[in-house]
Amino acid sequence: MSSFGLDIWGDDNFIIEDGKVLINYGNRASLLEITRDIRERGYRGPILFRFPHIIERQISKLYNNFQATIEEFNYQGSFYAVFPLKVNQFPNFLQPLIEVSKKYNYGLEAGSKAELIIAISSTPLGSPITVNGFKDREMIGLCFIASKMGHFITITIEGLEELESIIEVSREFNRDTKSSISPQIGMRIRLHSTGIGVWAKSGGYSSKFGLTSTELLEAYELLERNSMLELFSMIHFHIGSQMGEISPLKKALREAGNIYAELKKRGATSLNSINIGGGLAVEYAQHNSARERNYSLKEFANDVIFLMQEISKNKGVPQPDIFTESGRYISASHSLLVAPVLELFSQDYQEKSLRLKKVNPPLVQELYELFISISRSNAREYLHDGLDHLESLLTLFDLGYIDLEDRSNAEILVNLIIKKSIVLLKDDEGDELKRLQNSIKEKYLVNFSLFQSLPDFWGLAQKFPIMPLDKLNIKPSRPATIWDITCDSDGEIEFNPNLPLHLHDIDVTEEEYFLGFFLTGAYQEVLGMRHNLFTHPTEAIVDFNEDGEYYIRDIIEAQSLIDVLDDLDYDTNSIEKSLKDRIENSKLIDKREKDEILGKLYLYLSENSYLKTIQSLKENL
Ligand SMILES: Cc1ncc(COP(=O)(O)O)c(C=O)c1O
C-alpha cells in the first residue's frame, strides 16, 4: 500500500479507497471512473481535469481564515482579495472562479493590457481590481475607462514616470467633467526585505519593481502638487511566489507597516490599505523530507493582522484594510493532468524474456543459480556476486567469447537479482541500495508533453505530485523515470533516489495504467510551451449536481493539427492543397486507393498531436 505522499500534498481533496484515488467531494467518484467516462466519449491522450469545487474551497478558506482572525483580534480594517490573472487566465478556470466567488466580493489583478480587458469585463462592479506591472498611457487610459464604468480599481505605480503619465491621462479624461472620476492610486514599495526560494528576487533593493523611499517621497509630493493626493489609497509589496518560510513575510510586513504609518502621519489622508501581494505557498512535496512550506494559512493570517494592528497602534494611525493577491494558493489544486502510460522500456528484463540454452557459459549458469536461490540471508552476497559476474561477462563479450544471447541473459538475470535483493533488503540502511535503484529504474513513456503541461519542472525543477489512479492497494516496486512523448531529452522526470517515485510493474498491452500529475493549476497552463507542436491538452470540467453526483460540465478538445499550424500563421489552405495534389499526382498510389488515402489524411489533420496508439494494444491508450 502506498499513498504517494497524499497526506502531505493532498489537502483532503482526494482520498484513497479500494486502491483508487477518489475525489473527496459529493459521491466520491474515482478519477479512474471519470477518465474512462471521458475516453468512452472518444477522447484520447492526456486530459486536464478542472474542479470548480476546489476553487471555491480555496477562496472560502482564504476569506474565512482572514475573517476569523480579524474578529479574534478585533481588527479595525477589512479584508479584500483579488486573483492575479497571470497565474491562470484560461476561461475554463476563470469563469467558474467568477461564479463561485461572487459572494466573497472577490476581484481580479491585471498585469498587462489583455489581462486588464479580462478584469474590467468580468469583475463584478464593486469588487476590487488591482493593476500592476509597467504601464503606458494607453493602459492607464483603460484604467480610467474602468473607473468611469463604476469599477473599484487601483493602479499600482512601479516608477515615477508612471505617476506623471497618470496625472496627464487624468487631465485628458476629466477635462469636461465637473467632478473628476479616477482610479485609486497605489504605490509599490521597494522593500529591503527579500523573499525566499526561486522567486525571491521579486522583493529586495535590486528587484525589478517598486519605489525606493526617496522616490516614494517624491511621488507623494508630485501628487500633492497636482492636488491628487486624495487618490493615493494603497501601498503594495510582493516578495515573491511560493514563499516557503514565514519569516521573510514578517520582516516585509514590519517594513511596509512602518512605511504606511509614516505616510499617514505625513498627511496621506486617503491612504487606507496595504496590499501584501501573493506568495502564499502550496505544498507540492510527496516526501516529508522535502516539505516546501513551514506555516499554515492560519499562521499567515495571524501574522498579517497582528503585525498591522501592532504597528498602527504604536504609531497612532488607523488600522489599514488588507488586500491579498494570492494566486498559486487559489488555483494550483483545482486541476490535474491525467495521462496514460504508453510503454515500459525495460519490460524485457523479465524472466520470460530469458533465452537460456541447454548449455550456458558457466558464469551465466551461475547467475541463474543466484537468481533462483537468492534469499533474505544471502541477498547482499549474491547481489555482489551477480554484479561482479556481469562485469566479467561484458568483458568476455568484448573479447568475443560469448554471444549476444548470452549477454542478453546476463543483463536480464542481473537486473532480476537487483530487483529481488532490493525487495529482500528493503529494511537495510545504506547508499548501495539507493544507488542500485538507479540501475533498475524503469522508463515509463507517458502520453503528455512536459514542456506543455509542467513547464516549471523543466525550467525551475519545481516538483509536482505524481501518482497512479489505481492499484494503490499494491505496493509499487519499480523505481520510475518518466519520459514524455516529445523528442527532447529534457522531456524526462528522472528517478531521484532521495525522493523516490515507485510505480507498478504493468504490462500495458494487457491493461491501462494512468498517471495523475497533481497541483498543475497555477502558472503551468499559460507558461506551457508548444515544443514539438504539442498543444494544450483536452480539458474536462468536472462538477457535481445537487445529489452529489459528478457530471462533465464541458469538454474542450485539444487543438487539431491544422489549427496548430494555423496558429503559427501557416497558410493551411495551401498546405492542404499541396498534400492533396501530391497524393493525386503520385505514381506510387493506385487510382482506386487515392480517395481512401485522402480520407485518412483529412481525418488525421482533424485530430490532435498526442499519440493514439504506440504498440499493438488491446485498447487504444
Ligand atoms: C504583484 C504580484 N502579485 C501576486 C502574485 C501572485 O503570487 P502567488 O501566485 O505566489 O500568490 C505575483 C506573482 O509573482 C505578483 O507578481
Side-chain angles (χ1 to χ4, degrees):
M1 170 90 178
S2 175
S3 69
F4 291 82
L6 183 63
D7 52 329
I8 305 172
W9 58 266
D11 200 20
D12 289 334
N13 285 322
F14 302 97
I15 51 166
I16 297 175
E17 218 172 84
D18 294 334
K20 296 194 171 46
V21 191
L22 312 186
I23 303 166
N24 192 15
Y25 192 79
N27 63 351
R28 298 189 161 181
S30 84
L31 288 176
L32 188 64
E33 176 190 351
I34 307 178
T35 303
R36 292 206 167 122
D37 178 350
I38 294 169
R39 290 166 66 81
E40 271 161 25
R41 302 176 194 206
Y43 299 95
R44 286 286 181 273
I47 302 164
L48 183 90
F49 284 96
R50 295 190 195 279
F51 297 108
H53 74 276
I54 298 185
I55 308 177
E56 177 160 20
R57 181 166 183 250
Q58 294 306 98
I59 296 173
S60 72
K61 279 199 294 188
L62 184 71
Y63 276 89
N64 293 345
N65 267 282
F66 268 93
Q67 212 42 55
T69 312
I70 283 177
E71 280 161 29
E72 197 182 316
F73 286 75
N74 194 22
Y75 188 73
Q76 300 304 301
S78 304
F79 176 73
Y80 295 89
V82 290
F83 179 78
L85 282 166
K86 69 164 81 89
V87 185
N88 196 326
Q89 304 92 338
F90 272 68
N92 300 315
F93 161 73
L94 213 56
Q95 274 156 13
L97 174 131
I98 286 165
E99 268 166 45
V100 301
S101 68
K102 277 194 182 119
K103 59 175 180 271
Y104 296 102
N105 197 32
Y106 194 42
L108 294 173
E109 180 263 3
S112 68
K113 289 180 208 173
E115 287 182 356
L116 189 52
I117 295 295
I118 300 177
I120 63 183
S121 58
S122 37
T123 311
L125 287 183
S127 297
I129 298 176
T130 60
V131 188
N132 297 321
F134 297 109
K135 304 158 207 76
D136 61 7
R137 290 168 59 109
E138 207 170 278
M139 186 155 167
I140 294 167
L142 279 170
C143 298
F144 274 79
I145 294 174
S147 64
K148 285 184 187 265
M149 288 173 181
H151 272 304
F152 168 25
I153 179 166
T154 309
I155 316 182
T156 308
I157 63 155
E158 310 278 356
L160 280 175
E161 313 72 53
E162 265 177 23
L163 190 53
E164 279 158 12
S165 301
I166 292 178
I167 294 168
E168 285 167 26
V169 176
S170 163
R171 285 200 194 107
E172 205 180 293
F173 272 84
N174 288 316
R175 211 174 12 226
D176 303 325
T177 34
K178 284 203 189 82
S179 57
S180 66
I181 295 174
S182 303
Q184 300 289 296
I185 294 177
M187 294 194 201
R188 180 155 177 174
I189 50 179
R190 191 176 290 245
L191 299 176
H192 73 249
S193 321
T194 53
I196 192 159
V198 190
W199 292 277
K201 63 181 191 298
S202 304
Y205 270 147
S206 55
S207 117
K208 193 168 144 194
F209 303 107
L211 303 175
T212 61
S213 14
T214 315
E215 287 168 329
L216 207 53
L217 291 172
E218 282 176 37
Y220 181 93
E221 283 155 12
L222 192 58
L223 282 175
E224 205 173 29
R225 276 202 303 280
N226 286 278
S227 312
M228 287 172 73
L229 204 50
E230 81 280 3
L231 297 178
F232 174 35
S233 65
M234 177 187 284
I235 60 166
H236 175 256
F237 70 87
H238 169 73
I239 57 171
S241 196
Q242 189 62 356
M243 190 182 59
E245 292 175 19
I246 195 76
S247 51
L249 176 73
K250 291 187 179 199
K251 246 178 123 215
L253 284 166
R254 284 198 192 93
E255 199 181 337
N258 278 299
I259 291 175
Y260 158 80
E262 286 299 314
L263 288 167
K264 282 300 290 178
K265 289 197 342 201
R266 201 175 182 83
T269 40
S270 303
L271 176 62
N272 57 14
S273 343
I274 292 195
N275 182 338
I276 62 171
L280 184 52
V282 164
E283 188 52 85
Y284 291 95
Q286 283 190 278
H287 300 85
N288 267 321
S289 60
R291 281 188 187 260
E292 295 198 17
R293 194 181 68 180
N294 80 347
Y295 58 91
S296 64
L297 174 56
K298 182 73 191 129
E299 181 179 348
F300 180 90
N302 280 350
D303 285 345
V304 174
I305 299 298
F306 172 76
L307 285 168
M308 285 307 132
Q309 188 168 54
E310 193 187 52
I311 295 168
S312 307
K313 278 185 180 165
N314 288 347
K315 294 231 161 162
V317 294
Q319 295 165 29
D321 292 341
I322 306 293
F323 280 68
T324 72
E325 296 177 340
S326 280
R328 188 184 293 276
Y329 179 83
I330 297 296
S331 61
S333 50
H334 95 281
S335 77
L336 73 114
L337 186 81
V338 169
V341 172
L342 296 170
E343 199 172 343
L344 271 64
F345 275 86
S346 4
Q347 191 92 45
D348 291 343
Y349 287 143
Q350 289 183 4
E351 203 175 343
K352 67 175 187 209
S353 310
L354 284 170
R355 294 159 193 265
L356 291 172
K357 302 169 181 166
K358 278 204 180 104
V359 182
N360 296 293
L363 279 180
V364 174
Q365 191 57 36
E366 210 169 304
L367 277 180
Y368 184 68
E369 317 274 310
L370 292 175
F371 166 59
I372 54 174
S373 51
I374 192 166
S375 66
R376 172 83 183 90
S377 60
N378 62 26
R380 200 170 282 274
E381 185 185 340
Y382 280 22
L383 170 69
H384 293 154
D385 289 351
L387 292 169
D388 198 46
H389 289 357
L390 181 63
E391 282 305 312
S392 308
L393 282 160
L394 289 173
T395 311
L396 288 175
F397 180 78
D398 290 348
L399 296 173
Y401 289 111
I402 63 167
D403 65 19
L404 198 55
E405 284 195 345
D406 299 326
R407 179 180 163 154
S408 151
N409 288 332
E411 285 172 355
I412 295 172
L413 284 166
V414 172
N415 191 286
L416 293 173
I417 290 170
I418 297 174
K419 275 191 256 179
K420 263 195 176 179
S421 42
I422 285 177
V423 176
L424 292 167
L425 297 170
K426 66 176 185 306
D427 302 327
D428 287 16
E429 295 287 310
D431 282 348
E432 184 183 20
L433 291 181
K434 257 193 193 172
R435 247 192 348 263
L436 281 172
Q437 301 222 28
N438 259 327
S439 63
I440 56 152
K441 66 189 172 197
E442 178 57 90
K443 289 100 182 173
Y444 288 75
L445 180 70
V446 182
N447 201 358
F448 84 119
S449 156
L450 197 141
F451 302 89
Q452 172 61 237
S453 295
L454 304 177
D456 277 347
F457 176 83
W458 174 73
L460 299 163
Q462 173 66 53
K463 310 278 182 303
F464 293 88
I466 302 171
M467 77 191 289
L469 302 192
D470 68 342
K471 294 191 182 297
L472 297 166
N473 42 8
I474 304 168
K475 193 170 168 24
S477 58
R478 315 212 72 175
T481 284
I482 289 174
W483 282 352
D484 75 0
I485 53 168
T486 64
C487 45
D488 189 316
S489 50
D490 271 2
E492 173 181 13
I493 303 176
E494 219 190 339
F495 177 71
N496 175 354
N498 297 320
L499 303 171
L501 171 71
H502 288 97
L503 295 175
H504 296 94
D505 202 357
I506 35 131
D507 180 350
V508 290
T509 60
E510 294 290 331
E511 58 180 331
E512 297 174 317
Y513 190 62
F514 295 99
L515 293 185
F517 297 84
F518 291 79
L519 304 180
T520 59
Y523 297 100
Q524 303 317 293
E525 295 188 37
V526 101
L527 287 177
M529 290 157 268
R530 285 188 288 180
H531 191 23
N532 266 162
L533 300 188
F534 286 106
T535 60
H536 188 69
T538 295
E539 288 182 28
I541 304 178
V542 181
D543 221 332
F544 293 82
N545 66 20
E546 280 165 8
D547 298 328
E549 281 156 10
Y550 88 83
Y551 65 97
I552 314 287
R553 186 156 126 185
D554 207 357
I555 298 184
I556 303 97
E557 195 169 6
Q559 267 188 322
S560 70
L561 302 187
I562 209 75
D563 286 348
V564 177
L565 298 177
D566 192 39
D567 261 10
L568 289 183
D569 285 342
Y570 276 93
D571 179 347
T572 49
N573 288 333
S574 78
I575 288 182
E576 285 185 51
K577 183 170 177 324
S578 151
L579 293 170
K580 188 166 176 253
D581 290 350
R582 281 168 193 215
I583 288 174
E584 277 171 356
N585 300 331
S586 172
K587 303 217 165 23
L588 303 173
I589 309 175
D590 189 88
K591 231 179 161 195
R592 281 165 303 150
E593 244 189 326
K594 285 188 176 160
D595 281 348
E596 194 189 327
I597 291 190
L598 260 178
K600 278 194 175 145
L601 180 72
Y602 286 130
L603 177 69
Y604 298 159
L605 288 177
S606 71
E607 288 175 347
N608 66 53
S609 354
Y610 291 98
L611 302 184
K612 296 193 94 182
T613 52
I614 192 156
Q615 42 177 288
S616 51
L617 303 170
K618 296 219 165 119
E619 274 190 70
N620 284 353
L621 293 179

